[in-house]
Structures are given as C-alpha cells and as structure tokens.
Amino acid sequence: MQENNILEVSGLTTEFHTLSGTVRAVNNVSFSLRKGETLGIVGESGCGKSVTALSIMRLLDRRFGHAYGEYIRFQDQDLLTLSDKQIQNVRGNEIAMIFQEPMTALNPVFSIGNQIGEALEKHLGLRGREKKQRCIELLRSVNIPRPEKIVTEYPHQLSGGMRQRVMIAMALSCHPCLLIADEPTTALDVTIQAQILELLQRIIREQAMSVMFITHDLGVIAEMADRVIVMYAGRIMEVVPVRELFAAPAHPYTIGLLHSRPSLVAKGHKLTCIPGMVPSLLDMPPGCPFADRCPRAEADCRSSLPELREIAPGHAVRCFHA
Amino acid sequence: MDDIILEVNGLSKNFPIRKGIFSRTVGYVRAVSDVSFSMRRGEIFGLVGESGCGKSTTGRTILNLLTPSAGSVVFNGHELFNVERKRRIDPTEMRGLRKEMQIIFQDPYASLDPRMNVGAIISEGMVKHGMYRRAEALERAKELLELCEMPAASIHKYPHEFSGGQRQRIGIARALALEPSFIVGDEPIAALDVSVQAQVLMLLQDLIAKLSLTTLFISHDLGVVRYFCDRIGVMYLGSFVEMADSEALFARPAHPYTQALLSSMPKNTPDEQKQKIILEGDVPSPANPPSGCRFHTRCRCRQEICSQQTPLLREIEPGHCVACHLA
C-alpha cells in the first residue's frame, strides 16, 4: 500500500443473484483514495456507485449478493478478509457513511440521542451523562438549533435537512478518517442542499477527512470533489482530476453527461443528449458497455473491452478512441 | 387581449387539518394563497419553488382537479370557477374542456395503471371523449407513440416492461392523445436520470413547438426552468415572490428569496466564482405561516415593515414583478 493512500481497492466485483440470473453490478473496479482527498464518484442510477460503497463497507446482504476481488486495503487491513466482528469495529468507527434518504436510514422508534449514542457507547465506551453531553456537542457542531431538545426527539419530528444533519453528526461521532457520503443531498431542496454542502465542506476541512462522495449531480461534484471517477454499467470509464473533468473530459460518456445539463446551454440553443439507454446488466455486450450509445463507436468497440489507460498524468480513460 | 389563454385571479387553496374522532377541522394548511397570473397562447410558463411551496397544488387547482378555496380561473374564454361569485362550470362543459387541458405527472411509475397495456392507457381518453372508435383509437395510439419516439409495437406491452424514461414518454403520449391546447407538466423529468432527462426535455420541446402547446411547467430544477421556460414565477410558501421573463429573472433577480435560491444552485464548473447566500433554517409550516411577508423569518434584508405588512406583487420593470417592500 502506498503511503499517502488511505484506501486501495483492487479488482472489486459485486454480484447479485436474481431470479433472472446473476447480475454483475460492480465489475472489476480498482481505484485508490489519497489521504485528505475528496474523491467524487459520479454516474447514473444502476451504474454501481452505491454498490461499490456498500461493498467496501461490507454491508451487502449475503443472501442476495456478494463482493469479491483482490483486496480492499484500508490502513493496514484488508476489508475483504476481516471477520464480521472485526469489520464491525471499523464500521462507524474508522469508516463512516452518510446515506441518501435520512428518513429511511434513521430508525423511527428510537430518539435522536439514542441513535447517535449507540456508536459512542459501542466504539468509545461512553455512558450516561457523558454520552448525552457528547451527543449534544455533536448536534451543535452540525448547526442544529436547540440541541438539548432535539436529542430527545424522534426522526419524524425533524425536517429533511435536519435529519441529514443528524446523519452527519452520527457519522462524525467517532472521528472517522474515511467518510463515505452516498448522495447526501439528493433528497433535499436546493437551498437546504447548499446548507448541507457548506457544512460538509467545513467539517472535511477541519477534520482533514478523506471522503468518497457519491452523486449523480455534476454540479455537486464541481463543488466538492478533488478527483472524480465516472462509472457506467458497473465499470470505471474515466478517472480524472476535477478541473480536467470539466475542462477536458475524454470519455464520450463523460462528454455526453456534461452536455446533457440544461443549466449550461444558452436559451434557444439545442440541448444535446445521449441517445438510447443503459444496457441491461443481465445482458451485457462483450465490448465496451457504452458502444451502442456512443457517437465514436467503431467495430473494435463492440468486439472487445478497452482497458483503462492513462492519457495524461492522473487522467485515465476506458476508450479506444479518446 | 384575445391571445390570453389562461387567466388565474386570486387563486387560493386550503387543505383542512382534521383531528379527533369526529374529524373536527382544527386549522388549515394554506397551500396556495392569492396567486394571480395569466398565460399567452404558446407560452411556456415555469413555476419554481422548493417542496411544499404549492406549485403542484396551483397546477392541479387550475385544472379543476382540486376544489379551489378562493379565486377564479378563466381558460380560453370559459370560466372554470369563480369562488367569490359562487360560480362553477357545469360538469358536461368541463368534460368537453378536459380534452383541451391535460397533465403530465411526475412519477412515471405511479401514474400508469400497471394492469392496462400501453394501447389501452393511451386510447382510453380518446374513446371516452368519443373522438375515435376503439380500433381507430389504437391506430392513433401507435402514431402518438411514434411521435414520442417509441416503437408502435409497444401498445401491446405493459408499463412494467419499460424504463422510467420510456414510461414518461407513454405519459406524454397519453396527455397528447386528446389533442390539448394546454398542458401542465408537473415535474415531468424530476424522477429521471440526467441523460434521460435531456432526452425527454428535448422531446417535450419539439412537441410543444410542433403542436403549438401552451405549457405550465412545474419544476424545482432552476437549470431546467431557465433553459426551458419563457417566463418564470417563483413561489414561496404558497405565493409568488417574483415573476419575470426567464432571462431577466436570472440576470437581475430582485427578491431576496430568488437571489438566495439562484445562488444555492451548485457551481457549473469548479473554477466558477460564486457568492452563495445560505438561508438559515427551514421553510416555516404552511399551516401557520409567518405574518406579513412570508419570507421575513429567513430574509437577510428584513426590516420592521416586513413582519407587519404583506407585500403585494408590483412591477419594477416591464414584465418583472416582485413582492417585496424593499426591492
């Protein structure tokens, strides 16, 4: 493991067993996350970005799917080989996760204090008044008004933005060194999204955290990420520093995504869009998964899968013709 | 003026809050209050605002799908209702007008009946309104599907066989089946992926031009509205705070809420310099809205007058109206 990396994933593949067959939701994905870096993972629904996160956290239900690969190195451990007990010590403690839908991620029958306190008790051994005090501090640190009151309230009494703040407080409770944020602002309105993004930026800066930030929104990527992975149909299509993503995108899919944003097109000009749709994971074409929708596709794209190759320092693309 | 197709005047909609075993009404959620605007034929008018600001309720009340609490709507010379004068359009006449005004819903999963095939979904309205016989209606359904860039053979399939984008195309075909002159698009692309959003948006744009439709486009996505609409009304807690041509609104937003809303949009590129106005707190409950200007609790420019008097929408430049004492 390289010294300045906090996470290295190699050859991660995640399969789900469905009635219609085995689906490969994440296909041979390798990447690394540097210390203190915010790595954005962007793609559309079903591209495997959330499943990648769940696989790293080992949160997949074994009855339906399993993840395998060479290794997932985090600090000095290989997360793939840890026992359930060992991974529980990592989860919520050293790696924390923020989910998309705070209403479903929080338990409706426990109070806010109870839910934040659970991790404090388990990982830090805090009890009683000390635990409650720490909960209140955490809530205050994510700008929740009246934290002494909120600690005793239940998730349904809070608004969406407040619930997401509670989720963030929970994630921060044990000072994790790696934070995985899975579409943390997708369910929120723009003004609340702006509040939450600002809060996350402040926390990431203050605690020098490494972050994996999953989103479908390129605008959020522009705000948050240092480096970006673009995923499509379970594979990494492009790895690129954030400035270069917007200035010189190389993969036709990335270019298509960037051009599909109406906020960048002047009124009266035509939007461009990517024709067609994502191939079914059950019926993947042998070549490049994007070939059928790609304006640059040629015969070689349909017969064999391009390798991820470096075209500039730190900029890799899975395309023959980029 | 005769090119005005829709006139909305003082429209309000309250939903009663009921409690107890006798369902006593203990209060009202003021979802929409005193909304007035008009639309020219062929215009695309955007209603934007955050969740709960009353934009969908406005759309549905205009279509007479919800019973209004106050105000009037005149569509194409027909008065649909006028609550103050206790007038409501006669149901048979309304049925005739339904053909003229159609809606595209947000959720393409919930708005198509899973037990009907696509042919039946699209042709149901045409048969009911006596426009075509069943067999002809199915032929017409095929044409409509092709118009919406779907294979004609889809009429034999069921909604679950399609992706979100395809279902939304079916929803659009259904809305167009009755050859309406006015459509309400209630967040028609909100549930779709970015690349599919662009596809459906382009399709809508083509169809609106081809069929010269007047469109009320409801959306929370400012980028989409800026690109798509001619004129925009910004709503906050049930009322308009600002209304202007799309370019004027984005170039010179006058209401503090609009300014905050526009500045909250994520940056387009990492290098864009953007001064964000971060609003404090959440939207107050519409069951108990603040006095005076409804935005004053979160406004960075508030003064004493703001909590006492409700500002009226007034014109600050031609076609640009703002409801703010200070603008």
Side-chain angles (χ1 to χ4, degrees):
Chain A
M1 181 145 165
Q2 280 186 3
E3 204 187 319
N4 52 356
N5 285 344
I6 187 161
L7 181 78
E8 282 179 3
V9 176
S10 177
L12 178 69
T13 299
T14 307
E15 292 181 336
F16 290 101
H17 312 293
T18 69
L19 286 179
S20 348
T22 298
V23 165
R24 213 166 260 184
V26 174
N27 206 337
N28 199 3
V29 160
S30 307
F31 65 92
S32 58
L33 177 64
R34 299 188 197 125
K35 277 182 188 147
E37 171 187 59
T38 299
L39 177 69
I41 300 192
V42 68
E44 299 180 278
S45 0
C47 73
K49 52 193 192 309
S50 292
V51 176
T52 303
L54 293 175
S55 308
I56 292 172
M57 291 286 270
R58 296 256 310 265
L59 283 171
L60 294 170
D61 188 329
R62 252 186 230 126
R63 285 170 298 170
F64 305 115
H66 77 291
Y68 57 89
E70 261 186 89
Y71 56 81
I72 302 178
R73 279 196 203 125
F74 170 71
Q75 293 175 332
D76 301 327
Q77 318 165 69
D78 182 356
L79 299 184
L80 279 175
T81 57
L82 292 188
S83 70
D84 286 359
K85 199 101 203 141
Q86 288 167 317
I87 191 87
Q88 275 174 23
N89 283 328
V90 175
R91 227 187 262 147
N93 191 13
E94 291 165 80
I95 309 181
M97 190 160 175
I98 307 173
F99 296 91
Q100 175 177 159
E101 211 356 288
M103 194 58 222
T104 44
L106 292 170
N107 192 332
V109 302
F110 290 106
S111 73
I112 301 297
N114 215 317
Q115 299 191 50
I116 300 179
E118 192 184 350
L120 295 175
E121 190 173 324
K122 190 160 172 35
H123 294 304
L124 305 181
L126 299 186
R127 296 246 145 52
R129 186 182 300 164
E130 210 184 352
K131 182 170 87 174
K132 190 172 172 196
Q133 217 44 51
R134 182 85 188 103
C135 283
I136 294 173
E137 275 166 36
L138 279 164
L139 288 176
R140 190 170 291 130
S141 74
V142 293
N143 301 345
I144 284 189
R146 300 173 291 117
E148 307 78 16
K149 177 90 178 41
I150 299 289
V151 129
T152 59
E153 289 191 352
Y154 290 82
H156 74 269
Q157 292 169 289
L158 306 180
S159 67
M162 294 280 268
R163 284 185 207 131
Q164 200 55 285
R165 284 170 196 274
V166 170
M167 285 291 297
I168 295 171
M170 246 160 115
L172 298 178
S173 57
C174 303
H175 297 294
C177 44
L178 171 61
L179 177 71
I180 301 181
D182 186 2
E183 306 249 13
T185 59
T186 304
L188 307 174
D189 276 315
V190 268
T191 58
I192 309 295
Q193 165 168 292
Q195 290 174 357
I196 299 288
L197 290 182
E198 198 205 22
L199 172 71
L200 281 172
Q201 278 165 342
R202 195 198 81 207
I203 291 167
I204 292 167
R205 201 176 46 235
E206 281 174 5
Q207 310 202 5
M209 250 188 297
S210 313
V211 184
M212 213 172 120
F213 200 103
I214 299 171
T215 178
H216 69 278
D217 188 335
L218 287 161
V220 174
I221 287 284
E223 298 267 348
M224 303 296 294
D226 301 319
R227 215 154 55 90
V228 183
I229 288 178
V230 181
M231 284 187 78
Y232 183 81
R235 285 190 191 274
I236 293 179
M237 300 312 247
E238 186 160 0
V239 184
V240 55
V242 71
R243 285 215 165 74
E244 221 166 309
L245 170 76
F246 290 90
H251 198 283
Y253 175 62
T254 316
I255 298 171
L257 265 188
L258 283 162
H259 286 271
S260 305
R261 295 191 302 164
S263 49
L264 278 188
V265 183
K267 212 169 155 37
H269 287 258
K270 259 200 137 18
L271 264 182
T272 43
C273 67
I274 308 171
M277 48 187 194
V278 187
S280 159
L281 288 174
L282 280 167
D283 186 24
M284 270 295 153
C288 171
F290 189 61
D292 279 345
R293 305 173 75 187
C294 182
R296 291 193 215 156
E298 286 171 38
D300 50 348
C301 304
R302 295 203 165 77
S303 55
S304 57
L305 179 76
E307 289 294 315
L308 203 58
R309 64 189 168 88
E310 195 155 41
I311 55 165
H315 188 173
V317 182
R318 189 186 292 285
C319 181
F320 291 127
H321 306 288
Chain B
M1 281 202 294
D2 56 350
D3 68 338
I4 296 285
I5 187 169
L6 179 81
E7 232 186 310
V8 180
N9 245 316
L11 185 73
S12 298
K13 172 71 192 169
N14 300 335
F15 292 100
I17 306 168
R18 294 182 199 281
K19 275 211 171 123
I21 43 171
F22 298 113
S23 302
R24 216 158 33 91
T25 303
V26 293
Y28 290 95
V29 171
R30 293 173 214 289
V32 177
S33 51
D34 200 14
V35 162
S36 307
F37 67 100
S38 56
M39 284 177 70
R40 290 186 293 273
R41 202 173 289 280
E43 184 178 41
I44 307 178
F45 186 87
L47 273 185
V48 282
E50 299 178 274
S51 23
C53 73
K55 47 194 193 309
S56 291
T57 309
T58 306
R60 287 177 193 205
T61 318
I62 289 171
L63 290 180
N64 212 350
L65 292 170
L66 292 170
T67 317
S69 308
S72 67
V73 169
V74 178
F75 174 74
N76 230 348
H78 302 268
E79 189 175 65
L80 301 188
F81 52 79
N82 186 328
V83 180
E84 282 68 35
R85 299 212 178 126
K86 298 208 164 66
R87 279 208 300 257
R88 193 149 193 186
I89 193 169
D90 144 274
T92 31
E93 203 186 341
M94 187 64 227
R95 221 165 291 145
L97 278 181
R98 279 263 173 264
K99 275 195 340 198
E100 291 291 313
M101 34 198 337
Q102 287 290 310
I103 181 165
I104 303 165
F105 293 99
Q106 167 171 5
D107 186 344
Y109 292 82
S111 60
L112 301 176
D113 187 333
R115 292 182 299 178
M116 284 167 87
N117 68 29
V118 171
I121 288 172
I122 298 176
S123 60
E124 187 183 23
M126 296 189 270
V127 175
K128 200 139 246 173
H129 282 279
M131 293 167 74
Y132 299 97
R133 276 178 229 273
R134 185 158 296 274
E136 294 162 352
L138 282 176
E139 281 311 305
R140 179 86 185 111
K142 286 187 194 164
E143 289 173 31
L144 284 160
L145 281 170
E146 276 169 356
L147 189 69
C148 296
E149 293 157 13
M150 292 271 289
S154 315
I155 59 164
H156 301 295
K157 293 190 177 173
Y158 286 82
H160 74 264
E161 296 173 70
F162 297 97
S163 69
Q166 292 174 315
R167 286 185 213 210
Q168 204 53 299
R169 289 169 194 270
I170 297 168
I172 294 170
R174 172 175 65 181
L176 297 179
L178 302 177
E179 294 162 26
S181 52
F182 173 67
I183 50 172
V184 173
D186 188 356
E187 303 253 18
I189 58 166
L192 308 175
D193 261 322
V194 194
S195 72
V196 183
Q197 269 191 357
Q199 290 174 359
V200 174
L201 204 59
M202 278 170 74
L203 172 70
L204 272 176
Q205 207 172 24
D206 284 349
L207 290 172
I208 287 169
K210 207 181 283 174
L211 308 171
S212 39
L213 297 169
T214 310
T215 313
L216 181 66
F217 190 82
I218 299 168
S219 177
H220 68 280
D221 188 330
L222 294 155
V224 171
V225 171
R226 180 197 65 94
Y227 171 73
F228 196 66
C229 301
D230 304 320
R231 216 146 53 90
I232 296 172
V234 182
M235 289 184 80
Y236 182 78
L237 266 183
S239 313
F240 277 131
V241 293
E242 186 161 1
M243 196 188 320
D245 286 342
S246 151
E247 272 149 55
L249 187 87
F250 279 84
R252 300 179 292 283
H255 195 285
Y257 176 65
T258 317
Q259 290 165 357
L261 196 65
L262 297 188
S263 82
S264 301
M265 287 169 72
K267 291 194 266 192
N268 283 321
T269 60
D271 291 324
E272 189 182 322
Q273 291 301 320
K274 199 165 182 178
Q275 198 57 48
K276 292 210 172 180
I277 305 168
I278 306 274
L279 289 178
E280 287 165 26
D282 289 309
V283 183
S285 155
N288 185 18
S291 64
C293 172
R294 295 183 163 198
F295 185 58
H296 85 260
T297 50
R298 303 169 79 198
C299 184
R300 65 205 166 97
C301 320
R302 66 176 164 255
Q303 314 228 316
E304 243 183 273
I305 182 173
C306 301
S307 55
Q308 292 153 4
Q309 267 180 48
T310 309
L312 297 175
L313 213 55
R314 63 192 168 81
E315 204 162 32
I316 54 162
E317 58 177 329
H320 191 158
C321 301
V322 184
C324 178
H325 293 302
L326 311 168

